[in-house]
Amino acid sequence: MTRGVLAVGAYAPANRVPAEAFEEAWGSFDAPGVETKAVPDADEDALTMGVQAARRALRAGDTDGRDLEFLSFASTNPPLAEEDLTPRLGSYLAVPTDTTRRTHTGSTRAGAEALFDALEADGPALVVVADCPEGEPDDSREHAAGAGAAALLVGDDAPATVADHESFTDPRPGTRFRQRGSDDVDGLDIGTYDRAAFTEPVEAAVASIEADDDFEAVALQAPNGKLPYRTNLENEAIAAVETVSELGDTAAASVPLSLARAFEEGHDRTLAVAWGSGAGATAFLVEGTAPVEASLEGTNELNYPGYLRRRGDIVGEKPDGGAAHVPVPTWRRSLPQRHRHESGVCPECGAVAFPPDGACPGCRSLVEFDPVEPALEGTVDAATTIGQGGAPPEFAEQQARQGAFGVAVVRFEAGDGEVSLPMQVVGDGGAVGDTVRAVPRRVYVEEDVPRYGLKALPQD
Amino acid sequence: MREAHVVGAGQSKYGSFPDESYRSLFRTAVENTMASVDDGMDVDEIDEAVVGTLGVGGRQLGLPGPAVTEHVGLHGVPVTRVENACAASGYAVRQAVQAVRSGMADVVLAGGVEVMTDLSGDAVRYWLGVSGETEWERMSGTTFAGVYAQMASAHMREHGTTKEQLSHVAVKNHDNGAKNPKAQLGFTCTLEDAVNAPAVAEPLTLYHCCPTTDGAAATLVVSEDVVEEYTDEPVRVAGVGAASDNVGLFQRDSYNSVPASRMAGDTAYERAGMGPEDLDFAEVHDCFAIAELMSYEDLGFCERGKAGDFVESGATRMDGDLPVNTSGGLKSKGHPIGATGAGQVVEAFDQLKGRAGDRQLEDPRVGMTHNVGGSGGAAVVHIFEKEEVDA
């Protein structure tokens, strides 16, 4: 019985901004080696990206969230600085309430730490690593900052195992940090000091690994597209699986994403090295490969103003109000519906109810519904587009950042019946008859509390 | 069960009135109502009042009923506030009819008031959101216009209804509203204006949507025992129907009709012993153009799916077989939410009494009002018949 990685899922936002857009706006681009970078949509963050990756990992591993005995989440940029997000993550995945949970943050090594935590645990475990660092618009770290998520399903009898792992630390404060209360990653930008803070721990950790240096793939932390190649590791092996050139700096998710790429391309001996500011590095040797379901393609190229809009730099605050306010306790009662569209089957007549409370829509009886989860793909039965300025005020900021969006009534199969739900459509698409897929997105933030739900993504 | 009659009805002008309060607007409506009673009536003859309102300038008031009735000198009588979103005062009129028919009162004032233009556009959207399905539909990011636009999309997909046919509703109602001195938007528009106007929520354009409005309207409903004290030509309440439905569109069986309208209409026809063929005119809820088209089908004016052809044929114009929204409707006259249902009754009363001025129909005998709450969570239908009382 060998515990290791059973399957991997990977996800990146569809938005891409090319380096040229920065050069046109700033006269230069300060993230060498980054050709394009992934930009979270206005309603995406580390949690929603993490759910996307997690769903893919579970599918690739033919596993259900209900079977998990361990769940961890890692990110340097969680949507809330203090709140355990694994309950919300677990809710999306229907993870049992008594499953052990861990959160790792505070360093770009958080993803690797989460993996080793899961390897030490018992039973099926899921490690979800998602990140979307930010910086000041004119800062080199912001020029590099990307977004993405990877999830590693860990368990026994795994096709990919960790043969050895070693860590090395050496105090190098100021190389990469985020001040308390700030959204922006910063650094002192002391050239040789910064470079040594990266290369020396990486090389020291790798040197401790008991293995020869014959690696086809090196999944190395990539704060930008240049620094990894300043180490003494084989450049071709780094280039073979790097994601920084197309996704940008994905921080804690950088190594797991490269590992996903290594598996996807069939490399069965991968050296992974996670670096974290502070400074320290963890190197581990992965033998074998695991099934991967990944969607890392960029389908929507942004210009620079479009990128700033997504970031929220050039939009105003949402207006005051709240007449249709839904309090958090009310919201919380409906989380199985928000996260999984959980519906109910009437034991009397078999009709499907959403939400599964109140009188049955079929026979009007007051019954206790049997839970059923609708399919993720559905069909649009009624639709419109809410144009710029026409959204309810709670959605004004999102609309300012993202533009017009569609809203639709979508019909999903649910058990032996069907259920219809109102859904926001990602982008302004969605016509009657279209097929859409339910994807996790942030609905809005009110009273400083992010609310998450499902939105409809048109399928080709 | 006693008969109920309308002996008076009046309203304020509809529009934007920065210098008016909700009380002063209601006072204007009540004064015009009292003045419309053939043989006169004093306020102290009123036994009871029912007031429809959603909110005042976006504020929620706990006792808006007494607040407006005290302002018009109506002291000591029971006052009830009715809140059913846009159908608030339609239900207020229904409650007045119930009070009269049950014998609890002989003279009931039923009306409504709303002040909507005190608010910014953002605040109006916030506020109006309370009238929809707030936990799911609203959280999908949609508005009332969005929900009706979804209905339009389903109607277009199912029945081939076109944007031009939606626009015919706007052209007709603006033609009618231009003849109504109380209307908020007293101008006419062309089919091209309506089709090519900026989109509010596809496929609905600006001309397919009603404005936000200040205004008040009132009616006087009396019993058969006292009707002769006020008029020789009362307007009888021949039939009343009301129904509710799931607040959220997604929870209904149909996305291209308003089932509550159909149920309310069926009940009203049955109680009146009449059918759509007996109507000489109708005031229907046209908050959006698709709402008027769906009402044609729900109320039996035409076959299911044929509303687009029906409006295009001219059947619902002033000179058509069944004129609809001679007042200009919500589209042109305006939609002060709490006053809308009572305002429709004002138009029906004026038509049946021959007081509709430039938009007067030729000797109408039977008219209908149809008032919808929200996107169809509630609906109320009244059928009124001109009647002469033996001297």
Side-chain angles (χ1 to χ4, degrees):
Chain A
M1 188 171 70
T2 311
R3 192 166 176 83
V5 179
L6 296 166
V8 179
Y11 171 84
N15 294 319
R16 294 287 187 279
V17 60
E20 293 78 30
F22 286 81
E23 287 168 354
E24 287 173 18
W26 289 97
S28 65
F29 179 64
D30 299 329
V34 175
E35 294 162 15
T36 64
K37 62 175 201 163
V39 179
D41 222 329
D43 51 1
E44 284 190 298
D45 58 26
L47 182 68
T48 66
M49 292 190 298
V51 175
Q52 293 273 30
R55 281 179 169 185
R56 285 161 175 76
L58 292 172
R59 276 199 298 270
D62 195 23
T63 301
D64 192 282
R66 292 172 179 79
D67 299 329
L68 296 177
E69 294 182 25
F70 182 94
L71 175 68
S72 63
F73 177 67
S75 177
T76 65
N77 193 21
L80 291 164
E82 179 173 340
E83 183 193 294
D84 182 3
L85 290 163
T86 59
R88 300 209 217 194
L89 174 63
S91 174
Y92 265 111
L93 306 173
V95 174
T97 52
D98 60 353
T99 291
T100 303
R101 291 148 197 263
R102 295 281 185 272
T103 298
H104 299 263
T105 187
S107 158
T108 51
R109 272 205 294 175
E113 290 172 2
L115 173 61
F116 289 110
D117 220 14
L119 288 169
E120 296 294 319
D122 295 323
L126 187 67
V127 179
V128 181
V129 191
D131 229 328
C132 44
E134 292 183 17
E136 289 289 340
D138 62 344
D139 187 90
S140 60
R141 280 157 289 266
E142 172 56 25
H143 286 202
L152 307 164
L153 181 64
V154 171
D156 299 334
D157 300 323
T161 59
V162 175
D164 191 17
H165 67 95
E166 297 292 343
S167 291
F168 178 86
T169 58
D170 181 23
R172 305 285 180 117
T175 47
R176 180 183 176 118
F177 60 90
R178 184 157 62 87
Q179 286 194 323
R180 184 172 179 158
S182 172
D183 292 333
D184 296 328
V185 179
D186 211 338
L188 299 176
D189 295 325
I190 307 171
T192 52
Y193 173 78
D194 283 356
R195 193 161 57 243
F198 182 82
T199 58
E200 291 178 11
V202 165
E203 291 168 359
V206 171
S208 302
I209 294 276
E210 289 183 11
D212 57 41
D213 59 357
D214 184 20
F215 306 111
E216 291 179 0
V218 174
L220 175 58
Q221 185 81 45
N224 58 42
K226 185 177 180 184
L227 210 45
Y229 300 103
R230 294 297 190 100
T231 64
N232 62 0
L233 300 175
E234 177 61 44
N235 284 359
E236 278 186 27
I238 296 170
V241 295
E242 60 86 11
T243 59
V244 67
S245 61
E246 61 182 276
L247 300 182
D249 170 19
T250 50
S254 174
V255 171
L257 279 164
S258 286
L259 201 53
R261 181 151 285 176
F263 289 165
E264 205 171 23
E265 296 184 0
H267 298 294
D268 57 9
R269 197 158 182 276
T270 303
L271 174 67
V273 193
W275 171 81
S277 56
T282 300
F284 53 104
L285 174 62
V286 180
E287 293 182 343
T289 65
V292 178
E293 182 179 330
S295 52
L296 300 179
E297 307 76 25
T299 55
N300 182 33
E301 183 170 308
L302 300 173
N303 56 23
Y304 193 74
Y307 156 73
L308 289 183
R309 278 181 66 187
R310 293 307 194 284
R311 277 175 45 96
D313 289 322
I314 53 174
V315 301
E317 297 289 311
K318 73 175 183 182
D320 290 335
H325 170 66
V326 176
V328 169
T330 299
W331 179 271
R332 179 254 171 194
R333 283 192 287 272
S334 62
L335 290 181
Q337 287 71 52
R338 303 284 173 199
H339 295 164
R340 303 189 303 279
H341 282 171
E342 186 176 286
S343 304
V345 177
C346 174
E348 302 287 333
C349 73
V352 184
F354 183 93
D357 57 15
C360 168
C363 64
R364 309 293 177 193
S365 302
L366 282 170
V367 297
E368 291 295 323
F369 294 101
D370 300 323
V372 61
E373 280 187 23
L376 289 177
E377 277 200 351
T379 305
V380 172
D381 279 340
T384 186
T385 299
I386 305 297
Q388 193 77 23
E394 303 97 316
F395 296 88
E397 184 184 344
Q398 179 203 322
Q399 194 174 63
R401 293 169 63 172
Q402 203 171 27
F405 56 77
V407 289
V409 179
V410 184
R411 177 169 37 88
F412 296 92
E413 288 184 6
D416 294 330
E418 293 182 323
V419 68
S420 295
L421 301 117
M423 297 185 76
Q424 187 175 119
V425 181
V426 176
D428 62 358
V432 178
D434 283 0
T435 299
V436 295
R437 186 170 187 82
V439 295
R441 293 284 171 135
R442 190 175 58 242
V443 178
Y444 57 62
V445 180
E446 199 164 71
E447 299 166 314
D448 296 329
V449 179
R451 316 282 187 92
Y452 294 95
L454 293 170
K455 295 184 182 179
L457 182 69
Q459 303 295 285
D460 294 332
Chain B
M1 194 164 62
R2 301 190 302 177
E3 291 281 2
H5 300 81
V6 180
V7 296
Q11 64 177 71
S12 69
K13 190 172 180 349
Y14 284 5
S16 175
F17 308 111
D19 297 329
E20 297 275 3
S21 70
Y22 71 103
R23 287 184 165 113
S24 66
L25 287 168
F26 193 76
R27 172 182 173 164
T28 301
V30 171
E31 286 175 341
N32 289 339
T33 300
M34 303 306 286
S36 73
V37 180
D38 290 341
D39 298 333
M41 180 190 288
D42 290 330
V43 168
D44 60 11
E45 293 172 57
I46 295 171
D47 299 321
E48 184 163 349
V50 193
V51 177
T53 187
L54 175 63
V56 174
R59 290 176 291 150
Q60 181 176 0
L61 300 180
L63 291 171
V68 293
T69 52
E70 71 174 17
H71 193 71
V72 298
L74 192 56
H75 181 70
V77 301
V79 181
T80 307
R81 179 258 189 97
V82 174
E83 207 294 280
N84 250 349
C86 318
S89 62
Y91 271 81
V93 173
R94 179 176 180 270
Q95 193 161 324
V97 172
Q98 284 181 310
V100 164
R101 284 182 172 172
S102 71
M104 288 188 72
D106 279 315
V107 181
V108 182
L109 176 73
V113 63
E114 211 72 64
V115 174
M116 303 174 73
T117 68
D118 277 2
L119 304 173
S120 69
D122 281 338
V124 166
R125 285 197 296 278
Y126 241 128
W127 173 47
L128 292 184
V130 303
S131 296
E133 204 292 315
T134 55
E135 290 187 43
W136 300 101
E137 233 162 47
R138 168 85 167 204
M139 295 305 158
S140 71
T142 194
T143 57
F144 268 127
V147 174
Y148 275 97
Q150 290 178 15
M151 295 183 189
S153 76
H155 205 278
M156 292 167 113
R157 170 85 169 195
E158 180 75 17
H159 301 303
T161 305
T162 66
K163 207 166 179 176
E164 284 70 23
Q165 289 171 331
L166 291 169
S167 301
H168 277 287
V169 174
V171 173
K172 169 182 70 70
N173 290 353
H174 273 289
D175 280 351
N176 296 349
K179 297 171 186 162
N180 185 350
K182 303 285 191 188
Q184 180 179 11
L185 306 177
F187 54 81
T188 59
C189 74
T190 67
L191 197 63
E192 290 72 28
D193 290 336
V195 169
N196 298 323
V200 172
E202 288 287 350
L204 301 179
T205 72
L206 190 62
Y207 276 86
H208 300 149
C209 308
C210 67
T212 53
T213 312
D214 305 334
T219 65
L220 283 163
V221 180
V222 306
S223 74
E224 63 185 34
D225 296 337
V226 300
V227 65
E228 291 175 44
E229 296 175 26
Y230 302 109
T231 182
D232 294 334
E233 291 184 330
V235 170
R236 186 173 75 93
V237 183
V240 182
S244 61
D245 197 2
N246 293 314
V247 178
L249 177 66
F250 68 100
Q251 294 171 313
R252 297 184 201 152
D253 295 335
S254 170
Y255 304 144
N256 56 29
S257 68
V258 178
S261 293
R262 177 174 42 75
M263 292 184 274
D266 287 350
T267 303
Y269 287 132
E270 184 185 344
R271 300 274 165 81
M274 297 180 187
E277 66 282 0
D278 296 308
L279 302 179
D280 294 316
F281 68 93
E283 285 285 304
V284 305
H285 201 87
D286 62 319
C287 50
F288 300 93
I290 186 63
E292 179 163 327
L293 294 187
M294 290 189 297
S295 77
Y296 295 172
E297 299 169 12
D298 291 328
L299 299 171
F301 300 170
C302 67
E303 289 179 34
R304 176 77 49 203
K306 299 293 184 187
D309 296 337
F310 193 61
V311 72
E312 205 168 22
S313 75
T316 55
R317 296 187 67 84
M318 293 287 287
D319 56 357
D321 291 341
L322 180 59
V324 173
N325 287 336
T326 55
S327 69
L330 283 58
K331 174 68 197 82
S332 172
K333 182 185 176 189
H335 183 22
I337 296 177
T340 294
Q344 292 175 319
V345 178
V346 173
E347 179 67 9
F349 180 79
D350 283 346
Q351 286 288 354
L352 293 171
K353 298 287 282 186
R355 299 173 182 172
D358 291 345
R359 62 190 192 285
Q360 180 62 52
L361 299 169
E362 190 177 335
D363 194 27
R365 309 291 298 175
V366 178
M368 169 188 276
T369 61
H370 158 253
N371 188 199
V372 176
S375 55
V380 57
V381 171
H382 288 91
I383 297 174
F384 300 101
E385 183 177 28
K386 183 177 179 180
E387 186 179 65
E388 289 192 11
V389 175
D390 293 336

